[in-house]
Amino acid sequence: MTELVTPAPGTPAPPTEVPAAAPHPEAPAPASAPTVTIVLPCYNEGEHVLQEIERITAVMLASGLTYELFCIDDASTDNTLAVLKQAQLDYPNIRILPFRRNGGSGTARRIGTQQAYGEIVVWTDADMTYENERIPELVQVLLDDPSYDQVVGARTTEEGTHKWARVPAKWLIRKVAERLTNQKIPDLNSGLRAFRRSVALPYLRLLPAGFSCVTTITIAFLSNQHDILYVPTSYAKRAGKSKFHFVQDAYRYILQVLRMVMYFDPLKVLMPLALWLVGIGVVKGIVDMIRHPFYFPANTLLLLVSGLLIGAVALLADLVVRSRDGV
């Protein structure tokens, strides 16, 4: 039993000791927060992730920038986590977050950005494809020029699997995104980019779990007038086995582009279709009335009604977008 001691009369009572609150996992690091957080998702990269860590560490030490390398093991089934833990003993700037179940690269990047200590966050891959030697260059652009909120390494070559199909598919998706955002986008889904964490935080909840997270963060920035600078970079053939599935991931890319533009500007997606249907219906109705007076075919009526319904949905969606709070 704890003994209660009563202070003598006239003796001031000792100050009450208040235990310090445990820091929130997403809160900035106290006092010694680094300038840069490099988020490195790792899934079955055990054969080469150490080489990537050495490459990033060497260039960041040479740059003089304070940094942390936030390695997120996405429930790898090989020795990736063991390699990361061993590397943490040799490189004090490494921080590790292991997932108990696979969440996808988008989930890893989202959580990594939320829990980053640095104000500037860098996304890259651990498969030896990107020019990670240029990370300080991307970061320095943001430090020197406050008018840019994101810097993207725009790839000048395509070295991924299914190259014959990826090149035209990516070109088509990129052109759709450029048309819908009214912006020139040299590389829509580059995995090498640096951005201001404070600007990106409101959009992180929009990130999907898969590869199209990089597409999402690009469109989110462009749709909200956050300037992006594109820096040409090379792209090497990846080490290890690719996790990209052409048909599934290409479909998700297209769907995500449309979803993001619908989220920010639904009129741009729906209203052109509505006007085209109404216009075609009106022209067809005039022709039908000239050829067959007082005859209005069902397909003409269907065109007009479809156009009006889509237009009404477009206006309602735009009203919802403009009436919501926040992003």
Side-chain angles (χ1 to χ4, degrees):
M1 178 178 298
T2 304
E3 182 180 358
L4 180 62
V5 179
T6 304
T11 303
T16 304
E17 183 178 353
V18 179
H24 192 278
E26 298 180 9
S32 59
T35 303
V36 185
T37 294
I38 303 169
V39 178
L40 189 68
C42 304
Y43 178 62
N44 291 345
E45 311 284 2
E47 294 182 357
H48 46 268
V49 68
L50 181 58
Q51 184 178 352
E52 193 70 89
I53 289 173
E54 292 172 347
R55 183 163 65 134
I56 294 174
T57 299
V59 70
M60 292 305 296
L61 289 176
S63 71
L65 296 169
T66 57
Y67 76 98
E68 63 167 343
L69 181 55
F70 197 4
C71 301
I72 301 178
D73 177 62
D74 196 11
S76 298
T77 57
D78 65 355
N79 65 333
T80 298
L81 183 56
V83 173
L84 292 177
K85 289 182 176 180
Q86 180 59 44
Q88 191 176 31
L89 300 177
D90 300 326
Y91 301 98
N93 293 78
I94 291 180
R95 183 156 59 108
I96 299 175
L97 176 61
F99 286 174
R100 292 183 177 177
R101 57 183 180 276
N102 184 266
S105 61
T107 302
R109 289 186 170 103
R110 173 178 59 81
I111 293 177
T113 304
Q114 289 172 335
Q115 299 191 16
Y117 292 150
E119 167 53 23
I120 294 178
V121 175
V122 176
W123 286 359
T124 189
D125 289 338
D127 56 10
M128 307 298 295
T129 53
Y130 290 102
E131 285 187 285
N132 288 333
E133 297 88 350
R134 301 184 65 181
I135 289 177
E137 176 186 344
L138 305 185
V139 172
Q140 198 62 47
V141 171
L142 297 177
L143 294 176
D144 294 341
D145 192 343
S147 65
Y148 288 109
D149 292 314
Q150 186 171 173
V151 184
V152 177
R155 296 164 294 182
T156 56
T157 60
E158 174 59 66
E159 298 295 339
T161 57
H162 308 289
K163 184 177 179 179
W164 59 273
R166 287 169 68 119
V167 172
K170 286 186 175 183
W171 179 87
L172 177 62
I173 298 171
R174 181 166 54 85
K175 289 302 178 183
V176 171
E178 287 181 344
R179 177 69 181 84
L180 295 176
T181 59
N182 294 324
Q183 298 281 343
K184 183 71 174 177
I185 307 176
D187 192 346
L188 179 62
N189 55 347
S190 171
L192 176 60
R193 59 188 62 220
F195 53 85
R196 303 186 194 279
R197 179 176 179 270
S198 57
V199 176
L201 282 177
Y203 310 122
L204 294 182
R205 61 188 176 85
L206 305 176
L207 297 185
F211 291 102
S212 50
C213 62
V214 291
T215 302
T216 303
I217 202 70
T218 299
I219 296 178
F221 270 54
L222 293 178
S223 298
N224 287 276
Q225 300 301 312
H226 300 298
D227 289 333
I228 299 178
L229 177 67
Y230 292 89
V231 178
T233 61
S234 62
Y235 188 64
K237 187 175 181 179
R238 70 155 288 135
K241 184 179 179 181
S242 175
K243 289 86 178 178
F244 184 87
H245 301 90
F246 174 73
V247 176
Q248 297 176 4
D249 290 316
Y251 170 74
R252 292 192 185 103
Y253 274 133
I254 297 175
L255 194 63
Q256 188 65 14
V257 168
L258 295 176
R259 180 186 293 130
M260 288 300 297
V261 178
M262 280 287 292
Y263 184 87
F264 291 112
D265 193 357
L267 289 179
K268 190 167 288 187
V269 177
L270 296 178
M271 193 55 75
L273 176 60
L275 294 177
W276 269 103
L277 289 175
V278 171
I280 294 173
V282 170
V283 172
K284 188 176 185 301
I286 295 174
V287 173
D288 289 337
M289 292 297 290
I290 293 174
R291 294 178 59 188
H292 308 284
F294 306 106
Y295 175 67
F296 207 65
N299 53 8
T300 303
L301 184 62
L302 181 62
L303 285 171
L304 290 172
V305 172
S306 298
L308 292 174
L309 286 176
I310 294 176
V313 171
L315 292 174
L316 180 61
D318 185 67
L319 180 62
V320 172
V321 167
R322 295 180 184 279
S323 62
R324 69 177 179 233
D325 295 330
V327 179

